[in-house]
Amino acid sequence: MKELSIEALGHILNAEIAHGNSGHLSVTGISTDSRTVKAGDCFFAIAGERFDGHDHVVDAFGRGAACAVVGRDVRAAGPVLKVEDTIVALGDLAREHRRAGGYKVVAITGSVGKTTTRQIVHHVLSGHFKAHQAQKNFNNTIGLPLTLLDAEPDDEVIVAELGANQLGEIAYLTRIAQPDVAVVTNVHPAHLAGFGDIEAIVREKTSIAQGLAEDGVFVVNGDIDILTAACRRLGRPFRTVGKSSEVDYRAEDVVYHGLRSRFRIRGTPVELPLPGPGNVDNALAAWVVCETLGLTIEQFACRIRTLPGVAMRAEPLQIGTLTVLNDCYNANPASMKNALAILAGLRPKAEGGAKRRTVFVCGHMAELGAQSEALHAELGRNIAHAGVDLLIGVGEAAKTTVAAAREASKHDLQTVCFDDTAALCDNLGRLVREYDILLVKGSRAARLESVVQELMKDYG
């Protein structure tokens, strides 16, 4: 971030400086973790579920912090700026930093595909601009401000991700980001415990337009009627992407070939090194962003061909003779459906012509509220219809999925269920065969990445 005097910081946050003379000290960075504070950082003391940053202000100064922003009285060895709410203060600082910056901001939200779309946009734009993107999935009231504040003065484009699990978060975040281009990848049942129903999700996701610049570009998935209807009610122009004939930007001649996808945009062939229909939609949205910022379709197609895999998002791994789709980051009904479509397309013959089994290691889908049991049962029926050979359920909710899959199956579907991931890892050796094709997917709480690690240890 651009160097800022402590006095100027206090003015932005409407905070008085206490506990020490700021002198001519300046802030050169922002930190919310006392363990990683560097000399010159401003430490924001944030109270979380497990830790309270106010308990670590002394540690932050010990590591060279220039000052600290706090929400209550603390013992400190340097300048302290007291505010009403440190998270709101962090957002206020990020909003001012963004307002003063000379860069463009791309903001991406949606039920599924936010991170992958962000990675595609950043990868393509990085070949033509000095571009900065969120670290990991920094998309909440802490992560988004940190993404903006981490930008360097000479950055030309910031690619940000906006997430939410309750009403009002996207509107708050978009007013901080003030995007030049806003994208809604899709809307599907997700975080229903916080939103209640799909209509609330649509309102939340489309609220990204509230922070969009007056001449900004708004991009949405045009194949989802409830989404486009909501956008029309907003009364501002928007562009649509998808596979239907009515959209503004359409993927044509789509072919899914193993772990890659091929399609055409306005006659130009695009080779996408990611599998599945969801990723084609993500790439289309990314193209509209890149076109808006001045790239040609030829430049886009050339650059996207070199896109690396996105960690733990249908990430293809070859582990010995096993083909593994590592999709452990999160799960909701839509992302499960996308992952099953990818798995169903990966049925080549093994060496010698023997059929390769498809195996689904299935964790639970979190935050679905009252609809959780019904949606887990629906997932089971989808698994059966996808022709999966072996279904391995992990956790209590997955038992509903396994039972529904068994009932709906019209083929020899093998099933087994474990109480937790550790129990599954202890039994992997007797379940997995050479040349299996495995999809490993569930919500973060399941920690299914340990299954992938176990496979690497045993088969790599």
Side-chain angles (χ1 to χ4, degrees):
M1 64 172 284
K2 186 177 180 180
E3 188 172 322
L4 188 69
S5 72
I6 295 178
E7 287 79 3
L9 176 61
H11 178 72
I12 292 169
L13 302 183
N14 194 26
E16 291 188 4
I17 302 170
H19 294 300
N21 184 5
S22 62
H24 299 290
L25 291 176
S26 294
V27 172
T28 55
I30 302 297
S31 176
T32 60
D33 186 340
S34 63
R35 298 167 299 181
T36 59
V37 166
K38 302 183 297 295
D41 279 355
C42 171
F43 174 66
F44 277 75
I46 292 174
E49 292 181 3
R50 293 184 297 167
F51 302 102
D52 187 342
H54 294 85
D55 299 332
H56 302 280
V57 171
V58 172
D59 297 334
F61 279 114
R63 290 181 176 272
C67 65
V69 176
V70 301
R72 59 176 170 84
D73 292 334
V74 296
R75 184 167 60 90
V80 168
L81 289 78
K82 189 176 179 182
V83 297
E84 199 167 308
D85 186 314
T86 54
I87 294 178
V88 171
L90 183 65
D92 290 343
L93 177 59
R95 182 186 296 108
E96 177 60 23
H97 185 70
R98 188 273 176 271
R99 188 196 63 76
Y103 45 74
K104 299 288 187 180
V105 173
V106 178
I108 301 167
T109 192
S111 300
V112 183
K114 294 185 294 295
T115 300
T116 301
T117 304
R118 167 172 60 82
Q119 297 272 34
I120 297 172
V121 170
H122 180 263
H123 177 76
V124 175
L125 292 181
S126 292
H128 304 272
F129 301 97
K130 188 172 188 300
H132 171 72
Q133 69 169 333
Q135 296 180 39
K136 302 181 182 178
N137 72 320
F138 274 19
N139 61 20
N140 60 15
T141 54
I142 299 172
L144 173 72
L146 290 177
T147 296
L148 296 171
L149 291 165
D150 196 39
E152 298 295 338
D154 59 341
D155 282 327
E156 298 172 285
V157 182
I158 312 298
V159 189
E161 186 177 329
L162 277 58
N165 53 25
Q166 59 186 353
L167 290 171
E169 288 185 284
I170 297 296
Y172 172 74
L173 294 173
T174 191
R175 290 188 186 109
I176 294 172
Q178 303 169 46
D180 300 282
V181 187
V183 177
V184 180
T185 60
N186 48 59
V187 287
H188 296 292
H191 301 296
L192 288 172
F195 291 122
D197 55 36
I198 188 67
E199 288 78 12
I201 294 172
V202 171
R203 289 194 301 273
E204 181 66 15
K205 299 304 182 185
T206 55
S207 69
I208 194 173
Q210 293 182 23
L212 187 61
E214 189 173 336
D215 60 347
V217 174
F218 189 25
V219 185
V220 303
N221 189 315
D223 291 337
I224 303 175
D225 292 341
I226 192 173
L227 175 58
T228 54
C231 290
R232 282 192 290 271
R233 289 194 295 271
L234 292 177
R236 68 168 299 149
F238 62 95
R239 303 179 188 180
T240 56
V241 301
K243 303 180 184 73
S244 62
S245 58
E246 294 81 13
V247 298
D248 300 320
Y249 295 80
R250 183 184 178 202
E252 300 176 315
D253 303 326
V254 182
V255 176
Y256 305 111
H257 178 70
L259 295 171
R260 306 179 74 83
S261 307
R262 299 192 187 105
F263 55 96
R264 291 180 180 272
I265 298 176
R266 296 175 179 170
T268 300
V270 178
E271 177 90 12
L272 176 66
L274 297 175
N279 282 322
V280 172
D281 290 342
N282 296 336
L284 273 173
W287 156 237
V288 182
V289 173
C290 294
E291 182 191 51
T292 300
L293 296 179
L295 270 63
T296 66
I297 185 59
E298 291 79 15
Q299 289 172 320
F300 178 82
C302 179
R303 182 69 177 171
I304 201 172
R305 194 180 300 133
T306 63
L307 178 75
V310 183
M312 295 203 297
R313 273 90 165 176
E315 178 187 12
L317 301 171
Q318 194 64 40
I319 304 175
T321 63
L322 304 178
T323 299
V324 178
L325 286 173
N326 177 11
D327 204 340
C328 301
Y329 191 80
N330 217 334
N332 60 40
S335 67
M336 283 290 197
K337 186 175 181 179
N338 285 339
L340 278 171
I342 297 171
L343 184 63
L346 295 178
R347 284 184 172 274
K349 300 294 183 180
E351 292 183 4
K355 177 179 177 293
R356 297 184 68 175
R357 292 193 313 171
T358 53
V359 180
F360 186 6
V361 178
C362 178
H364 73 288
M365 300 180 290
E367 299 183 50
L368 295 180
Q371 298 184 47
S372 180
E373 184 172 359
L375 290 170
H376 278 92
E378 182 182 349
L379 171 60
R381 293 188 287 273
N382 291 338
I383 290 169
H385 297 155
V388 170
D389 296 303
L390 171 62
L391 171 60
I392 304 173
V394 183
E396 190 64 30
K399 293 177 183 177
T400 299
T401 298
V402 169
R406 275 200 305 262
E407 184 177 350
S409 176
K410 299 187 186 315
H411 67 285
D412 185 22
L413 171 63
Q414 304 297 307
T415 64
V416 61
C417 209
F418 294 92
D419 290 337
D420 54 42
T421 304
L424 166 58
C425 288
D426 290 340
N427 288 273
L428 267 179
R430 68 178 181 84
L431 296 170
V432 176
R433 299 177 189 167
E434 296 283 348
Y435 298 104
D436 277 348
I437 303 168
L438 296 95
L439 166 63
V440 185
K441 184 168 180 62
S443 286
R444 289 299 301 125
R447 301 294 179 189
L448 290 179
E449 61 269 23
S450 61
V451 175
V452 177
Q453 293 164 2
E454 192 72 19
L455 291 171
M456 288 179 171
K457 185 174 71 174
D458 293 344
Y459 295 88

